[in-house]
Amino acid sequence: MNMNYTAEELAFRDEVRAFLDAKLPADIAAKVKGFRKLSKEDHQRWQKILSEQGWYATHWPEQYGGVSWTPVQKHIWDEESCRYGVPRSIPFGVNMVAPVIIKFGSEEQKQQYLPRILSGEDWWCQGYSEPGAGSDLASLKTRAVREGDHYIVNGQKTWTTLGQHANMIFCLVRTNTEVKAQEGISFLLIDMNTPGITVRPIITLDGEHEVNEVFFEDVKVPAENLVGEENKGWTYAKYLLTYERTGLAGIGLSKAALTHLKQLASRQVKNGKPLIQDQTFSQRIAQVEIDLMAAAISNLRIVASVEGGGVPGAESSMLKVRGTEIRQAINDLARRAIGPYAIPFVEEEMDQAYDGEFLSDPGAAPLAAHYFNNRKLSIFGGSNEIQKNIVSKMILGL
């Protein structure tokens, strides 16, 4: 594998930087770099800018409005986006359900849903996890019973990220209880405004309303909203999860967070010197930076392996495990750097417009909340324990 960018790739990186210099709103970038709250309107404003540039759907074929970027170009985009403070695209529409529709959906589904994802008309959420089906997703119990030209859906989904904003949800539902668990699951597209759907907030440890419970009570879903074949949803779900798990590694995010950590440690004082000069703390930073460099090389290797087409396989599980561990380690060091000021936080300090007095370093406000929130990284998308089982079986052959 050639570790150096080609001249064409360097020219592309310059193009990306010029675009971000000219088009990325300063207020949005400041929120991202300061780990502060982004509103739905912030996400929609940036999506509109990306769509106008034609750079929103980087995983799609050109015929559907996507971009013909190579895997290396996508990697460059991700790295530069994190460095500049670009909001992460809400993945459920553009990066999750859209690839499934493109590969397995009908032409009618492609024509109906893909343009609306590009334009932002539809805000999607994911209906996978249930109270009794998380990492063991195949044990899901939400039922969909075919009645004429509709399915009647009953059940519950949980940890539905940003479901309070969504008007569409893609769901794994059980359509056959007489076969092996994985063989009786189907993939349905459901309008969130359908009668019988109730969304209830779950307030997380950081005080945020990010996730939800979604209840389905005799929800009537048109049969044409079935993606692919009935009882083949597990195949489509696995295809989607390879995209999700690779993205969860967050190499670019970790690099940006490491830069923030070094800046924070440079401003804190221990024994009359900047904390970053403390031998023990600097060794911890060095170790996580070494781990990050190794993960970045692995990420590039996986990117190179799919240069000719296809998607990552079990390697995405390996990357998800290591990437999330590194992100959590950086969060932990940032929390340690700020010391006792990481314990309390004034919620108003989390807003970019806050003009009151800060309890300590202005960069400290989001650290405790960010640390608590990112404990989820090693759980969602399939827990790291499950990912290690996949690696041991699919890669090591154990």
Side-chain angles (χ1 to χ4, degrees), residues 276-339:
I276 200 168
Q277 295 178 17
D278 176 78
Q279 182 177 1
T280 300
F281 199 83
S282 64
Q283 286 176 343
R284 289 173 173 172
I285 292 178
Q287 183 60 60
V288 78
E289 187 164 12
I290 291 168
D291 292 341
L292 178 55
M293 290 172 66
I297 297 299
S298 295
N299 187 60
L300 280 171
R301 189 178 69 248
I302 292 171
V303 165
S305 71
V306 299
E307 184 77 46
V311 296
E315 295 86 357
S316 64
S317 293
M318 178 180 68
L319 203 57
K320 191 264 184 182
V321 171
R322 203 68 194 103
T324 55
E325 289 175 346
I326 290 168
R327 289 175 68 185
Q328 289 176 339
I330 294 172
N331 292 153
D332 183 49
L333 285 175
R335 178 184 61 85
R336 290 173 181 271
I338 207 67

Side-chain angles (χ1 to χ4, degrees), residues 87-99:
R88 297 199 81 185
S89 293
I90 303 300
F92 307 110
V94 67
N95 292 336
M96 291 188 179
V97 73

Side-chain angles (χ1 to χ4, degrees), residues 30-83:
K31 287 183 179 182
V32 173
K33 289 183 176 181
F35 302 108
R36 285 175 164 77
K37 298 176 184 176
L38 287 169
S39 67
K40 180 180 180 180
E41 291 70 28
D42 289 331
H43 285 289
Q44 290 175 321
R45 180 158 49 114
W46 177 238
Q47 179 181 334
K48 185 173 186 293
I49 294 170
L50 278 182
S51 295
E52 289 172 351
Q53 178 72 9
W55 286 3
Y56 181 54
T58 60
H59 292 86
W60 297 16
E62 285 187 70
Q63 69 187 96
Y64 299 115
V67 187
S68 58
W69 286 351
T70 66
V72 174
Q73 286 177 314
K74 293 174 187 174
H75 173 78
I76 290 171
W77 167 254
D78 289 340
E79 292 262 304
E80 295 300 318
S81 293
C82 293
R83 193 168 69 87

Side-chain angles (χ1 to χ4, degrees), residues 313-318 389-398:
E315 295 86 357
S316 64
S317 293
M318 178 180 68
N389 287 343
I390 293 172
V391 170
S392 67
K393 180 178 180 181
M394 302 301 293
I395 297 179
L396 302 178
L398 299 178

Side-chain angles (χ1 to χ4, degrees), residues 337-365:
I338 207 67
Y341 291 107
I343 298 174
F345 69 94
V346 177
E347 187 172 359
E348 288 75 15
E349 290 185 12
M350 302 284 283
D351 293 318
Q352 189 68 20
Y354 179 73
D355 60 358
E357 183 178 354
F358 287 90
L359 290 177
S360 62
D361 188 302

Side-chain angles (χ1 to χ4, degrees), residues 63-134:
Q63 69 187 96
Y64 299 115
V67 187
S68 58
W69 286 351
T70 66
V72 174
Q73 286 177 314
K74 293 174 187 174
H75 173 78
I76 290 171
W77 167 254
D78 289 340
E79 292 262 304
E80 295 300 318
S81 293
C82 293
R83 193 168 69 87
Y84 271 80
V86 170
R88 297 199 81 185
S89 293
I90 303 300
F92 307 110
V94 67
N95 292 336
M96 291 188 179
V97 73
V100 172
I101 292 173
I102 289 170
K103 187 168 181 66
F104 302 105
S106 66
E107 284 304 314
E108 291 76 12
Q109 289 170 343
K110 294 172 188 176
Q111 294 300 320
Q112 178 176 354
Y113 295 112
L114 298 182
R116 294 174 63 88
I117 291 174
L118 282 177
S119 68
E121 290 177 78
D122 287 338
W123 183 297
W124 286 81
C125 61
Q126 180 181 31
Y128 272 26
S129 294
E130 299 182 2

Side-chain angles (χ1 to χ4, degrees), residues 42-295:
D42 289 331
H43 285 289
Q44 290 175 321
R45 180 158 49 114
W46 177 238
Q47 179 181 334
K48 185 173 186 293
I49 294 170
L50 278 182
S51 295
E52 289 172 351
Q53 178 72 9
W55 286 3
Y56 181 54
T58 60
H59 292 86
W60 297 16
E62 285 187 70
Q63 69 187 96
Y64 299 115
V67 187
S68 58
W69 286 351
T70 66
V72 174
Q73 286 177 314
K74 293 174 187 174
H75 173 78
I76 290 171
W77 167 254
D78 289 340
E79 292 262 304
E80 295 300 318
S81 293
C82 293
R83 193 168 69 87
Y84 271 80
V86 170
R88 297 199 81 185
S89 293
I90 303 300
F92 307 110
V94 67
N95 292 336
M96 291 188 179
V97 73
V100 172
I101 292 173
I102 289 170
K103 187 168 181 66
F104 302 105
S106 66
E107 284 304 314
E108 291 76 12
Q109 289 170 343
K110 294 172 188 176
Q111 294 300 320
Q112 178 176 354
Y113 295 112
L114 298 182
R116 294 174 63 88
I117 291 174
L118 282 177
S119 68
E121 290 177 78
D122 287 338
W123 183 297
W124 286 81
C125 61
Q126 180 181 31
Y128 272 26
S129 294
E130 299 182 2
S135 294
D136 183 20
L137 187 57
S139 64
L140 65 90
K141 291 182 170 55
T142 295
R143 290 292 312 276
V145 178
R146 181 73 180 260
E147 293 186 3
D149 57 358
H150 286 80
Y151 287 95
I152 306 301
V153 179
N154 284 279
Q156 177 187 354
K157 298 294 179 178
T158 194
W159 311 123
T160 308
T161 302
L162 301 180
Q164 71 271 29
H165 299 318
N167 67 307
M168 294 294 299
I169 183 171
F170 57 93
C171 275
L172 292 182
V173 295
R174 187 159 303 285
T175 45
N176 190 338
T177 59
E178 304 300 321
V179 294
K180 182 181 175 181
Q182 290 88 342
E183 296 173 0
I185 293 171
S186 296
F187 196 104
L188 279 183
L189 312 177
I190 303 177
D191 187 331
M192 291 284 282
N193 296 312
T194 307
I197 295 179
T198 302
V199 179
R200 295 181 186 169
I202 298 174
I203 305 303
T204 49
L205 189 60
D206 61 348
E208 287 293 302
H209 175 197
E210 182 183 11
V211 292
N212 304 268
E213 297 176 289
V214 181
F215 296 87
F216 301 85
E217 185 175 357
D218 294 329
V219 176
K220 198 173 181 180
V221 181
E224 61 261 29
N225 286 22
L226 173 72
V227 175
E229 300 178 46
E230 189 172 275
N231 300 321
K232 297 294 185 182
W234 189 249
T235 298
Y236 314 148
K238 289 191 297 182
Y239 177 79
L240 181 154
L241 284 171
T242 59
Y243 281 95
E244 181 182 19
R245 287 169 182 161
T246 305
L248 288 177
I251 301 300
L253 290 172
S254 289
K255 288 183 177 181
L258 182 62
T259 298
H260 182 266
L261 168 62
K262 290 179 178 179
Q263 293 169 348
L264 188 68
S266 296
R267 296 195 298 266
Q268 307 308 307
V269 177
K270 180 180 180 182
N271 298 328
K273 297 189 300 183
L275 178 61
I276 200 168
Q277 295 178 17
D278 176 78
Q279 182 177 1
T280 300
F281 199 83
S282 64
Q283 286 176 343
R284 289 173 173 172
I285 292 178
Q287 183 60 60
V288 78
E289 187 164 12
I290 291 168
D291 292 341
L292 178 55
M293 290 172 66

